[in-house]
Amino acid sequence: LYLSAQEGILFFYHIKDLQYEMKICADIFQPISSLIFSPDYTVLLLVTDQGTVYTYKPTHSGEAVKLLDTCSSCFLAADFLSLGNKYCVSVTISGEVQVWFLEDGTCLSKLNLDIEVHIA
């Protein structure tokens, strides 16, 4: 079980029967608003309240890596695009939808919806 704390800490809880073990995986020093696993569960996207997107690879037990940072508008949400873990799609508060290559954070495509976006 992965969860995040308000302070920006990513925790992993290994639960077996009535016992559990807690491990701190990463500290990104920004409140995390959402966690999204890739379809094959090899990459975890962390989206912060400030609009930054990080990747974390559980099998590598390393730090979270900053992938995308805010430009003119904060990222509101991000998710993996189709099956696999090579691309993600994000949307900003200002309504810009972007497709990203996860290897290096390259923006591959943009579409401006010309409306402000909210998550219900």
Side-chain angles (χ1 to χ4, degrees), residues 1-44:
L1 172 67
Y2 284 90
L3 61 101
S4 64
Q6 187 67 11
E7 301 83 25
I9 300 172
L10 177 66
F11 293 99
F12 172 71
Y13 282 86
H14 178 77
I15 303 168
K16 186 173 182 178
D17 299 323
L18 296 176
Q19 297 187 4
Y20 71 91
E21 178 184 340
M22 182 193 76
K23 175 184 170 191
I24 296 176
C25 298
D27 188 351
I28 58 173
F29 305 103
Q30 296 178 29
I32 299 169
S33 58
S34 62
L35 305 170
I36 305 103
F37 258 112
S38 63
D40 62 0
Y41 296 99
T42 59
V43 180
L44 184 62

Side-chain angles (χ1 to χ4, degrees), residues 13 34 57 64 70 82:
Y13 282 86
S34 62
K57 295 182 179 180
T70 58
S82 73

Side-chain angles (χ1 to χ4, degrees), residues 10-96:
L10 177 66
F11 293 99
F12 172 71
Y13 282 86
H14 178 77
I15 303 168
K16 186 173 182 178
D17 299 323
L18 296 176
Q19 297 187 4
Y20 71 91
E21 178 184 340
M22 182 193 76
K23 175 184 170 191
I24 296 176
C25 298
D27 188 351
I28 58 173
F29 305 103
Q30 296 178 29
I32 299 169
S33 58
S34 62
L35 305 170
I36 305 103
F37 258 112
S38 63
D40 62 0
Y41 296 99
T42 59
V43 180
L44 184 62
L45 288 182
L46 313 170
V47 182
T48 71
D49 284 351
Q50 282 83 24
T52 308
V53 178
Y54 291 81
T55 59
Y56 177 78
K57 295 182 179 180
T59 58
H60 292 93
S61 299
E63 284 295 311
V65 176
K66 186 186 292 186
L67 178 67
L68 312 172
D69 209 346
T70 58
C71 298
S72 58
S73 180
C74 288
F75 291 112
L76 188 59
D79 201 350
F80 289 90
L81 187 61
S82 73
L83 298 175
N85 56 359
K86 291 187 178 199
Y87 306 96
C88 78
V89 62
S90 66
V91 63
T92 64
I93 294 169
S94 64
E96 187 171 82

